[in-house]
Amino acid sequence: MSDTPPLARKSHGRLSISANRQPRSLMDEPPRIKGAWTAKIVTLFPDAFPGTLGISLLGKARELGLWALETIDLRPFGIGKHLNVDDTPAGGGAGMVLRADVVGAALTQAAIGTPKDRALWPVVYLSPRGAPLTQAMAQRYAQAEGMTLLCGRFEGVDERVLEQFGIEEVSIGDFVLTGGEVAAQVLIDATVRLIPGVLGNAESAVEESHSNGLLEHPQYTKPAEWEGRAIPEVLMSGHHGKIEKWRHGMSEALTRARRPDLWAQYLQKQGKSDDGEA
Ligand code: SAH
């Protein structure tokens, strides 16, 4: 038993291949732990996945069946001989808009076998108009059974489909991408690494930036001296109490200097004002 990697132990769930309406090559699919957190991605570009989600810790965790990824290609839902998925915007203007009927049909297929309760299965449209993605949102998604992500292209999607499916809009920042695929990978990366067993060292998700409202303290490793720069002495002291205090102080100083918005929230939570008074 001792040579069994911890993630592959039976207590984590039964391996099974789940039914999938799309005739994909199941042989190439990683094994799937029953009930594993699953991302269903509606996209015109399924080849963009798993992309960065296929490497390193997340890739390994997916191979072990700790989470799963399914793409739903928008193209086969297209209309007519050319399988058109988009059309010109009502009211005129530049660009093209993804059709409500096409996107609706793909989302209906994605919904098969998923809970209707949006708390158990969020449905998200990646969009620059959305709520800015935060660590708290990633924590909420990680606690669901899985989620559906809709990747837009062109000018976006017909508004009616967003209303019809009770879709939450999420942005990865105040800039405009050409499509939602990269944004979906950002959201999934931030979420999946919070699923128990995915990160090797569970502690690293507790202490990092944004988990406690502060930015992380600076990190150092070998060599002890580099280009005439030494590692701060306290970190070499072996005195855990002093090290903790130093790290916390650096976290606070960095947050205060770089992110006044986070700093104000942090102080409010602590019931303090900026001069340190309670
Ligand atoms: N016309 C739209 C932008 C479309 S960009 C607007 O002005 O709001 C094309 C697609 O890229 C979008 O449908 C969305 O899925 C994705 N996208 C672009 N910027 C994004 C961002 N900041 N966050 C998340 N998704 C984004």
Side-chain angles (χ1 to χ4, degrees), residues 96 98 125-131 150-157 169-184:
M96 300 295 268
L98 290 170
Y125 168 49
L126 285 312
S127 152
R129 306 185 313 185
L150 170 61
C151 303
R153 279 275 154 183
F154 320 123
E155 292 308 318
V157 305
E169 285 185 59
V170 176
S171 166
I172 65 158
D174 291 340
F175 41 78
V176 180
L177 304 166
T178 49
E181 287 76 11
V182 168

Side-chain angles (χ1 to χ4, degrees), residues 98 123 154 221 231 242 252:
L98 290 170
V123 179
F154 320 123
T221 185
I231 292 174
K242 281 191 186 152
E252 290 196 335

